[in-house]
Amino acid sequence: MDGKRQKTEQTYLAFAQGDRGEAPRPGGEGTEPAAAEHESESPADTVRMMEAICSPDNLRRALKQVQGNKGSAGIDGMTVGQLAGYLKAHWPVIRQRLLEGTYKPQAVKRVEIPKPDGGVRKLGIPTVLDRFIQQAVMQVLQEQWDRTFSRHSYGFRPGRSAHQAITAAQQHVTDGYRWVVDVDLEKFFDRVNHDRLMAAAARRVQDKRLLKLIRAFLNAGVMEHGLVSPTDEGTPQGGPLSPLLSNLVLDELDRQLERRGHRFVRYADDCNVYVRSERAGLRVMESLEDFITQKLKLKVNAAKSALARPWERKLLGFTFTRHRQPRRRVAPKALERFTRKVRFLTRRTRGIRVQKVVAELAPYLRGWGNYFGYCQTPSVLKALNGWTRRRLRCYLWKQWKRGVNRFAQLTRRGVGRDLAARAAGSSHGPWRVSRSPALSFALPDAFWERLGLPRLTVR
């Protein structure tokens, strides 16, 4: 604890020293450049936003956030744990470069992660130092920009969530808008037009140093297989600034939909427009494709976009029932991913203790339940609970192997000798036996709860 407090105090001193002007001004010593005067100036002054970004309070918040997010190292190999010490030694010089508009970000490291529906998502991981600076920039810009964004936008915004987006969509369907234009933008983060993005930023920011820094982050390049490639479009996923910039780009789409009076929900690059008829939906789909292609210079993914009934499409892992008062339910693909993950973790060939299997399974169930417990179909969650526990009973039955041991394990858990003998001598496979009275009695729900297995419930 004392070491952690000391590190925090050291970082505080590093930021404070920089604000006292220890970074030398070209041609003089001990003073800040002219652009760094009046440190207390309001962050609302968009001409001098770099001073707000470099303020001690903002920097400490940024450091705490980056350390809390953890994450892997960038191309320079620096870890999150090394960041505070590096800042203590080098912050005055870094701050000087930021205030002079000469800071040069390093290239991002290309990382590929599998998508739930197949394929891979390409991430660009900035260095820890660049993540820290991006976080500091994002905090100041978000404070100004977020309140100007559309109320129909829910992604990557403080105080807004996917559940709020689902509720808004549900209300549109309840109000009689029972057709949805589901628009998916193809490789959105990779295709963002830099010139359009910078033009949108320049309408909100007059500090040319900050605009230059944002452009530098966009053009930093990507290192893949040891080679750095230039980037002339896109905002690499993986940096703290990219989500805010994506909302800035798509705010133009939100305003267009608002001007037309449409009911819609947007979460990042997923946009659903709700209309009353199929004919209206066809018109909206055509006009949206033209606007996105011609105006935003982006591309609509024709394979994933469609005009359909809301219960035939999914939004953020949810869909709806057909009722006049529709209920939220888990989308089929989300259920498929759940069962695939549980099958993988409970496969009978693992050969490890069941306690360890439960320890690995519990965080996944807890996270899944916290999100999808927002559904309004408790019978589905009840069925998943039963199925998951049956998979675990199968796992233990397979581990007990021989009939003699199975008989001993069952009787030890209070099963009568006759019932235990019938189960232990059964010729049926583990899946059939897992729902037998003997195993249900020996391994009830209370047993799995004592091991720490959470239960999926409607929130």
Side-chain angles (χ1 to χ4, degrees):
M1 179 65 74
D2 291 340
K4 186 175 182 180
R5 184 183 300 112
Q6 184 178 7
K7 183 178 289 187
T8 303
E9 289 173 353
Q10 288 174 347
T11 305
Y12 172 81
L13 290 174
F15 293 152
Q17 288 167 359
D19 285 339
R20 287 198 299 269
E22 291 191 359
R25 184 203 304 185
E29 294 184 9
T31 56
E32 295 180 345
E37 296 174 3
H38 307 300
E39 193 70 24
S40 62
E41 200 160 316
S42 169
D45 181 359
T46 63
V47 178
R48 303 178 60 78
M49 295 183 74
M50 196 61 79
E51 281 70 29
I53 290 166
C54 292
S55 69
D57 287 344
N58 187 57
L59 295 171
R60 282 193 291 274
R61 281 198 298 133
L63 179 60
K64 183 177 179 181
Q65 187 66 42
V66 171
Q67 290 174 329
N69 290 342
K70 298 180 180 178
S72 58
I75 64 171
D76 62 353
M78 185 192 299
T79 65
V80 172
Q82 296 170 319
L83 177 60
Y86 183 86
L87 290 172
K88 182 177 182 297
H90 300 283
W91 175 247
V93 175
I94 297 168
R95 180 177 182 274
Q96 176 80 8
R97 292 172 182 165
L98 289 170
L99 294 175
E100 290 177 344
T102 59
Y103 181 81
K104 301 288 186 187
Q106 296 188 68
V108 301
K109 182 171 69 174
R110 175 69 78 206
V111 176
E112 294 183 349
I113 60 173
K115 289 183 178 180
D117 299 329
V120 295
R121 175 177 287 111
K122 293 185 177 182
L123 300 184
I125 307 300
T127 64
V128 173
L129 176 61
D130 285 340
R131 290 210 297 271
F132 165 69
I133 295 173
Q134 283 195 35
Q135 179 68 30
V137 171
M138 186 275 292
Q139 288 170 177
V140 171
L141 292 181
Q142 188 172 67
E143 185 177 336
Q144 291 192 25
W145 293 0
D146 189 75
R147 60 178 177 265
T148 71
F149 290 152
S150 169
R151 62 187 177 89
H152 303 288
S153 166
Y154 294 89
F156 309 127
R157 298 184 61 188
R160 289 179 164 252
S161 68
H163 289 166
Q164 291 175 338
I166 301 296
T167 301
Q170 184 181 15
Q171 187 60 52
H172 295 327
V173 179
T174 301
D175 291 343
Y177 294 79
R178 297 174 76 84
W179 287 88
V180 61
V181 178
D182 186 352
V183 178
D184 183 89
L185 300 180
E186 185 174 311
K187 297 182 179 179
F188 166 72
F189 285 93
D190 297 328
R191 294 179 183 269
V192 169
N193 184 282
H194 286 180
D195 292 335
R196 290 196 59 80
L197 192 158
M198 292 308 304
R203 288 193 289 270
R204 296 167 179 255
V205 174
Q206 281 72 52
D207 192 326
K208 295 187 178 186
R209 299 166 299 173
L210 178 53
L211 293 173
K212 184 178 178 182
L213 179 63
I214 294 173
R215 173 74 81 167
F217 278 124
L218 294 175
N219 295 338
V222 175
M223 176 175 282
E224 193 169 13
H225 307 302
L227 299 175
V228 176
S229 304
T231 48
D232 52 9
E233 64 177 0
T235 60
Q237 297 182 72
L241 194 54
S242 291
L244 180 63
L245 296 179
S246 71
N247 273 333
L248 178 64
V249 171
L250 293 176
D251 187 60
E252 195 169 352
L253 173 62
D254 297 339
R255 298 309 175 189
Q256 179 72 1
L257 292 170
E258 287 177 344
R259 281 192 292 270
R260 297 179 183 180
H262 289 309
R263 298 277 194 109
F264 73 98
V265 168
R266 184 179 66 78
Y267 191 98
D269 55 338
D270 290 327
C271 184
N272 281 10
V273 183
Y274 295 86
V275 296
R276 290 187 182 274
S277 68
E278 185 177 14
R279 178 183 290 182
L282 291 171
R283 288 198 305 268
V284 170
M285 176 66 85
E286 184 178 358
S287 63
L288 273 182
E289 287 181 347
D290 289 343
F291 181 83
I292 290 169
T293 304
Q294 303 300 324
K295 188 75 172 175
L296 299 184
K297 308 299 182 186
L298 297 169
K299 186 176 181 181
V300 174
N301 189 330
K304 293 185 178 180
S305 301
L307 168 65
R309 296 292 195 174
W311 46 86
E312 296 171 349
R313 304 295 292 178
K314 65 180 179 68
L315 175 64
L316 303 173
F318 288 86
T319 185
F320 305 105
T321 64
R322 297 168 180 256
H323 301 95
R324 183 177 293 275
Q325 297 288 329
R327 290 180 295 168
R328 301 182 295 272
R329 65 186 182 93
V330 183
K333 283 190 176 181
L335 292 174
E336 182 184 332
R337 287 196 296 270
F338 174 88
T339 56
R340 187 165 60 243
K341 179 71 172 182
V342 173
R343 279 196 180 98
F344 176 76
L345 292 175
T346 60
R347 62 195 186 279
R348 299 171 212 164
T349 57
R350 296 195 68 187
I352 61 175
R353 289 167 56 85
V354 73
Q355 290 85 346
K356 186 171 182 181
V357 174
V358 171
E360 293 178 1
L361 188 59
Y364 177 75
L365 293 181
R366 197 171 293 114
W368 198 93
N370 285 341
Y371 185 76
F372 287 104
Y374 193 62
C375 73
Q376 295 173 310
T377 51
S379 61
V380 173
L381 300 188
K382 182 179 178 180
L384 292 178
N385 280 325
W387 177 80
T388 301
R389 283 151 179 76
R390 190 176 174 189
R391 289 281 309 178
L392 289 167
R393 288 198 296 270
C394 268
Y395 185 87
L396 261 183
W397 189 249
K398 182 73 172 178
Q399 277 202 334
W400 291 344
K401 293 184 179 179
R402 295 180 302 143
V404 173
N405 186 46
R406 287 171 173 174
F407 177 80
Q409 293 286 354
L410 291 174
T411 54
R412 185 182 305 157
R413 288 169 169 78
V415 179
R417 295 179 65 84
D418 289 345
L419 186 59
R422 286 198 301 272
S426 173
S427 60
H428 297 303
W431 184 246
R432 176 80 173 266
V433 176
S434 66
R435 63 181 301 178
S436 68
L439 249 65
S440 297
F441 183 87
L443 303 171
D445 288 352
F447 171 80
W448 302 112
E449 288 170 6
R450 286 195 298 271
L451 290 184
L453 189 74
R455 181 182 293 273
L456 304 175
T457 57
V458 171
R459 293 176 52 189

